[in-house]
C-alpha cells in the first residue's frame, strides 16, 4: 500500500483477493465487489432464495405480446407461473394498484413482492432460473441481453405496432403514419438481420430473454403483414423466428407459425384499446351475459367464511361434486396415459368406446360461436382457443378431449369434442366467462353420426393435413 501511495497519478491499480476456506459465490457477488464465501458443504443463500422465488403469479390479459413473453420465459426457465387473467379495468382497482401503481398490465407477484414492467419481469425470471444461460453466460453477455431488450422496446416494437395496431383495430388508420412505419421497418429490422448474419441468437449461443422479447412481436408480424417481399429482404430474421417458433416452449403459447400470403387490411370499425382487446369488447357487445344474475349468490358465499373465522373450528375443504359421484368402471387417468402413448390412435379410440361408462361419463361436442370480425386471423383465433383451455386447467383431472382451430383464414372455427366425468355439464365448465358463446351438444356413442364425430376429432390430429368435418386441422390441442 505504501508503494501505491508513491505511484504517479492516472495509474489504474487492481486488487485481487482470495477467499479462504471457501469458493467465490458468483450468484451473490455478480463478479463485483466483495467476495462472498460459500463452504462446499453448505447450501448457498442464493439457493434458498431460488426455491422461494420459483412460484410466480402473473396478472395479465388472456393473451398478448407482453403476457406471451412472460409465459414463454417461464417455460424456458422451468419456473411455475400461475396466470391470473386480469383486465385493464381490474388493474385499476385498489388491490392491484398496490402491486402496480400505473394501473397497467402485466405485473407479477413473487415471494418478496410485486414486479411490474415486462422487461423487469423477464430479468427476474431469468435470474431465479436454474437455466443459467437465459440471462447470458457471463457479465458481458448479460449486458448484450440488456442491450437487445432495450432495442426491442425502443426501436423494434414501436415500428411493428404502428403497422399492426390499425389492422387489429387498436388505432385508427393513418396513411402517412403507415408509410413512415413501413420505411422505418426496413431500417430497424435490417439492423437485426445484419446482426444475425453470423449467429443464431442475439446474445451468446443459446436462447436468452432477449430472443424471447424480440421473437414474440415478430411472430405476430409475420402472420399479419410481413409478406413474401418483406421476408425476402430479411432472410436471417425469418429463419431466426421460424427456428425459435418451432421450439416447444413457443408452440405451447402460439401454436404453429403460419406466414401470411397477403397483408391484412386495416380495421375500420370502432376503435378499442390495445390493452383491453378488441375481441373482448366485441364479445361484450354480442349479447348480454345472464351469468351476471348469479353474482349475488357468489357474494353470499363470500360472506360465510367471515362467520367461520370467528369460530375456532378449522375450515373444512368442500369436495368437488364430481368426486361424490358413484364409482365408475372407466378409469380416465389410466386411459389418458394409454391413449397418449399408444402408437395406433384408431385402435386407442376403439378401446375408449369399449371402456366408456355412459353412467359415469359423457361426450360433448363444443363449438365456439364467433362474434363479427372473429376467426379471420390465425394467431388471434389460436389465442382465443388457448384462453378457454387455460381457464379449464383445474378441470384436467376430470376431462379428456380435443379442442382446436379448423378451417382457413379468414373463416376459422374453434371446435372440439370433450369426454368428462358426469352426465351433465359440470360447474367448472358453466363457470367459464365465455361459456354462453359456445354450443354444447351431448353425444351418444350408440348413434352412428355422433360416434363418427368423436372419431374424427380424436384421430384428426395432424395439423395442416387432417380434415375434420370438412375443415383442415390447423392448431390442435389435447386436453388431458
Amino acid at each position: 500500500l505504501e508503494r501505491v501511495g508513491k505511484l504517479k497519478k492516472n495509474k489504474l491499480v487492481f486488487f485481487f483477493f482470495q477467499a479462504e476456506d471457501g469458493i467465490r459465490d458468483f450468484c451473490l457477488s455478480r463478479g463485483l465487489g466483495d467476495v462472498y464465501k460459500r463452504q462446499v458443504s453448505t447450501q448457498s443463500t442464493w439457493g434458498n432464495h431460488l426455491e422461494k422465488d420459483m412460484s410466480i403469479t402473473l396478472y395479465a390479459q388472456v393473451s398478448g405480446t407482453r403476457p406471451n413473453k412472460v409465459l414463454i420465459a417461464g417455460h424456458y426457465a422451468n419456473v411455475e407461473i400461475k396466470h391470473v387473467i386480469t383486465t385493464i379495468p381490474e388493474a385499476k382497482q385498489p388491490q392491484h394498484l398496490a402491486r402496480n401503481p400505473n394501473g397497467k398490465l402485466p405485473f407479477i407477484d413473487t415471494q418478496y413482492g410485486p414486479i411490474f414492467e415486462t422487461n423487469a419481469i423477464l430479468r427476474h425470471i431469468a435470474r431465479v432460473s436454474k437455466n443459467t444461460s437465459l440471462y447470458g453466460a457471463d457479465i458481458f453477455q448479460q449486458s448484450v441481453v440488456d442491450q437487445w431488450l432495450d432495442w426491442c422496446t425502443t426501436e423494434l416494437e414501436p415500428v411493428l405496432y404502428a403497422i399492426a395496431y390499425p389492422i387489429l383495430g387498436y388505432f385508427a388508420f393513418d396513411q402517412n403514419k403507415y408509410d413512415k412505419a413501413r420505411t422505418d421497418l426496413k431500417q430497424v429490422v435490417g439492423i437485426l438481420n445484419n446482426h444475425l448474419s453470423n449467429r443464431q441468437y442475439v446474445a451468446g449461443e443459446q436462447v436468452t430473454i432477449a430472443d424471447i422479447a424480440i421473437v414474440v412481436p415478430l411472430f405476430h408480424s409475420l402472420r399479419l403483414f410481413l409478406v413474401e417481399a418483406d421476408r425476402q429482404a430479411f432472410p436471417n430474421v425469418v429463419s431466426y423466428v421460424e427456428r425459435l417458433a418451432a421450439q416447444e416452449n413457443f408452440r405451447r403459447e402460439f401454436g404453429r407459425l403460419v406466414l401470411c400470403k397477403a397483408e391484412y387490411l386495416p380495421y375500420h370499425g370502432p376503435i378499442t384499446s390495445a390493452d383491453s382487446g378488441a375481441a373482448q369488447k366485441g364479445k361484450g357487445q354480442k349479447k348480454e351475459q345472464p351469468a351476471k344474475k348469479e353474482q349475488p349468490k357468489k357474494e353470499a358465499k363470500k360472506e360465510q367464511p367471515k362467520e367461520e373465522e370467528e369460530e375456532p373450528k378449522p375450515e373444512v375443504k368442500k369436495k368437488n361434486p364430481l368426486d361424490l359421484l358413484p364409482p365408475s368402471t372407466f378409469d380416465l387417468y389410466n386411459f389418458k396415459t394409454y391413449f397418449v402413448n399408444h402408437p395406433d390412435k384408431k385402435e386407442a379410440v376403439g378401446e375408449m368406446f369399449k371402456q366408456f361408462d355412459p353412467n359415469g361419463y359423457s361426450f360433448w361436442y363444443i363449438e365456439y360461436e364467433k362474434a363479427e370480425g372473429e376467426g379471420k386471423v390465425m394467431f388471434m383465433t389460436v389465442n382465443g382457443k388457448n384462453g378457454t383451455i387455460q381457464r379449464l386447467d383445474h378441470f384436467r383431472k376430470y376431462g379428456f378431449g380435443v379442442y382446436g382451430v379448423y378451417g382457413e383464414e379468414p373463416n376459422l372455427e374453434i371446435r372440439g369434442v370433450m369426454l368428462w366425468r358426469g352426465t351433465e355439464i359440470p360447474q367448472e365448465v358453466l363457470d367459464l366467462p365465455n361459456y354462453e358463446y359456445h354450443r354444447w351438444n351431448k353425444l351418444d356413442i350408440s348413434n352412428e353420426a355422433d360416434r363418427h364425430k368423436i372419431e374424427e376429432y380424436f384421430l384428426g390430429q395432424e395439423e395442416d393435413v387432417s380434415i375434420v368435418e370438412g375443415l383442415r386441422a390447423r392448431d390442435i390441442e389435447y386436453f388431458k
Side-chain angles (χ1 to χ4, degrees):
L1 292 177
E2 291 178 0
R3 292 182 61 190
V4 172
K6 296 177 182 179
L7 290 175
K8 294 181 179 180
K9 293 182 179 180
N10 301 324
K11 294 288 185 179
L12 184 63
V13 181
F14 294 91
F15 292 92
F16 297 91
F17 297 95
Q18 175 69 41
E20 297 181 2
D21 302 323
I23 60 175
R24 182 172 185 163
D25 190 327
F26 289 94
C27 292
L28 287 171
S29 68
R30 301 188 184 204
L32 301 170
D34 295 335
V35 174
Y36 292 80
K37 293 192 298 181
R38 180 183 68 203
Q39 300 298 330
V40 176
S41 60
T42 305
Q43 184 181 16
S44 76
T45 308
W46 180 257
N48 293 333
H49 293 331
L50 182 62
E51 293 301 321
K52 293 178 181 178
D53 269 336
M54 291 298 278
S55 179
I56 293 173
T57 301
L58 167 67
Y59 296 86
Q61 302 96 321
V62 123
S63 63
T65 54
R66 297 182 185 95
N68 285 154
K69 291 178 183 181
V70 175
L71 293 170
I72 291 170
H75 297 325
Y76 277 104
N78 197 25
V79 172
E80 180 183 355
I81 297 181
K82 179 183 177 183
H83 184 185
V84 178
I85 297 171
T86 311
T87 64
I88 287 296
E90 290 172 340
K92 298 183 184 299
Q93 293 177 359
Q95 69 269 26
H96 290 319
L97 287 174
R99 297 184 176 97
N100 183 357
N102 301 293
K104 296 181 179 181
L105 297 170
F107 55 85
I108 62 172
D109 254 343
T110 72
Q111 175 75 14
Y112 302 101
I115 299 173
F116 56 85
E117 295 300 331
T118 305
N119 285 348
I121 295 171
L122 293 178
R123 291 184 177 100
H124 176 77
I125 293 172
R127 287 180 177 127
V128 302
S129 169
K130 293 180 180 179
N131 178 357
T132 55
S133 66
L134 203 55
Y135 199 176
D138 53 41
I139 294 174
F140 174 75
Q141 283 190 10
Q142 288 178 4
S143 298
V144 175
V145 168
D146 287 335
Q147 163 190 288
W148 285 103
L149 282 173
D150 292 345
W151 178 86
C152 178
T153 302
T154 60
E155 303 292 336
L156 178 65
E157 288 184 320
V159 172
L160 296 180
Y161 294 159
I163 302 172
Y165 279 2
I167 295 173
L168 299 174
Y170 300 155
F171 289 171
F173 177 71
D174 184 302
Q175 187 66 52
N176 293 331
K177 291 181 179 179
Y178 170 84
D179 292 340
K180 183 180 185 305
R182 269 292 182 180
T183 301
D184 294 342
L185 175 72
K186 296 177 182 179
Q187 179 183 356
V188 173
V189 180
I191 291 172
L192 179 61
N193 192 69
N194 292 337
H195 181 71
L196 293 170
S197 62
N198 60 349
R199 50 176 63 85
Q200 289 194 327
Y201 307 101
V202 295
E205 301 300 323
Q206 292 181 301
V207 175
T208 65
I209 51 175
D211 296 300
I212 296 169
I214 291 170
V215 168
V216 168
L218 283 172
F219 182 97
H220 294 313
S221 301
L222 284 166
R223 283 180 156 184
L224 277 177
F225 61 84
L226 291 178
V227 294
E228 182 62 26
D230 299 313
R231 300 195 290 268
Q232 289 179 357
F234 313 120
N236 299 327
V237 171
V238 175
S239 176
Y240 166 68
V241 175
E242 287 180 327
R243 186 170 59 254
L244 269 71
Q247 296 185 12
E248 179 61 25
N249 291 326
F250 273 88
R251 285 178 62 90
R252 287 171 67 178
E253 296 303 321
F254 287 150
R256 292 174 309 100
L257 172 61
V258 179
L259 302 175
C260 65
K261 296 179 181 178
E263 181 178 349
Y264 282 88
L265 298 176
Y267 174 75
H268 294 289
I271 301 303
T272 65
S273 165
D275 290 320
S276 64
Q280 289 180 354
K281 183 170 182 179
K283 287 177 186 144
Q285 295 174 345
K286 190 175 179 181
K287 50 176 137 176
E288 295 182 359
Q289 299 185 16
K292 290 184 178 179
K293 296 178 181 179
E294 297 177 6
Q295 287 181 354
K297 294 182 180 178
K298 292 182 180 179
E299 292 176 2
K301 289 180 181 178
K302 290 180 182 178
E303 294 175 359
Q304 292 177 3
K306 293 181 180 179
E307 297 178 0
E308 292 176 1
E309 289 174 3
E310 297 174 1
E311 299 176 3
K313 296 180 181 179
E315 186 176 345
V316 180
K317 186 177 180 180
K318 292 182 180 180
K319 288 189 175 182
N320 190 308
L322 298 177
D323 293 326
L324 302 177
L325 293 174
S328 173
T329 57
F330 183 55
D331 187 336
L332 179 62
Y333 177 81
N334 285 330
F335 177 76
K336 285 195 284 189
T337 304
Y338 164 81
F339 186 94
V340 171
N341 296 322
H342 200 291
D344 188 342
K345 294 295 185 264
K346 188 170 184 178
E347 183 179 325
V349 169
E351 189 63 29
M352 177 170 65
F353 288 141
K354 289 179 185 177
Q355 295 186 23
F356 177 68
D357 171 20
N359 296 316
Y361 287 84
S362 55
F363 282 102
W364 293 78
Y365 175 65
I366 309 165
E367 184 175 14
Y368 176 71
E369 294 181 291
K370 297 182 295 184
E372 184 179 354
E374 291 184 320
K376 292 185 177 181
V377 182
M378 177 66 74
F379 83 86
M380 295 178 71
T381 309
V382 171
N383 285 345
K385 181 263 294 181
N386 290 343
T388 300
I389 292 294
Q390 287 174 359
R391 290 183 172 102
L392 285 174
D393 272 346
H394 61 297
F395 185 62
R396 291 182 184 274
K397 173 183 175 182
Y398 305 100
F400 181 48
V402 179
Y403 190 65
V405 177
Y406 301 85
E408 307 286 343
E409 294 179 332
N411 297 305
L412 298 166
E413 304 289 344
I414 303 177
R415 297 174 177 175
V417 168
M418 293 283 287
L419 164 68
W420 59 52
R421 188 73 166 101
T423 58
E424 301 298 333
I425 299 179
Q427 191 61 47
E428 289 87 346
V429 175
L430 293 172
D431 287 340
L432 282 172
N434 61 354
Y435 167 79
E436 63 176 300
Y437 303 121
H438 289 79
R439 284 193 287 269
W440 308 84
N441 297 321
K442 192 173 183 180
L443 301 176
D444 180 3
I445 66 169
S446 64
N447 179 287
E448 185 177 345
D450 287 356
R451 191 182 184 100
H452 177 69
K453 182 173 288 188
I454 296 169
E455 288 178 338
E456 269 198 290
Y457 278 92
F458 274 91
L459 297 179
Q461 58 177 304
E462 192 171 355
E463 294 175 346
D464 291 337
V465 176
S466 298
I467 303 296
V468 179
E469 290 195 288
L471 300 177
R472 195 171 298 278
R474 292 303 184 186
D475 191 278
I476 310 304
E477 182 165 345
Y478 272 115
F479 181 82
K480 60 183 186 293

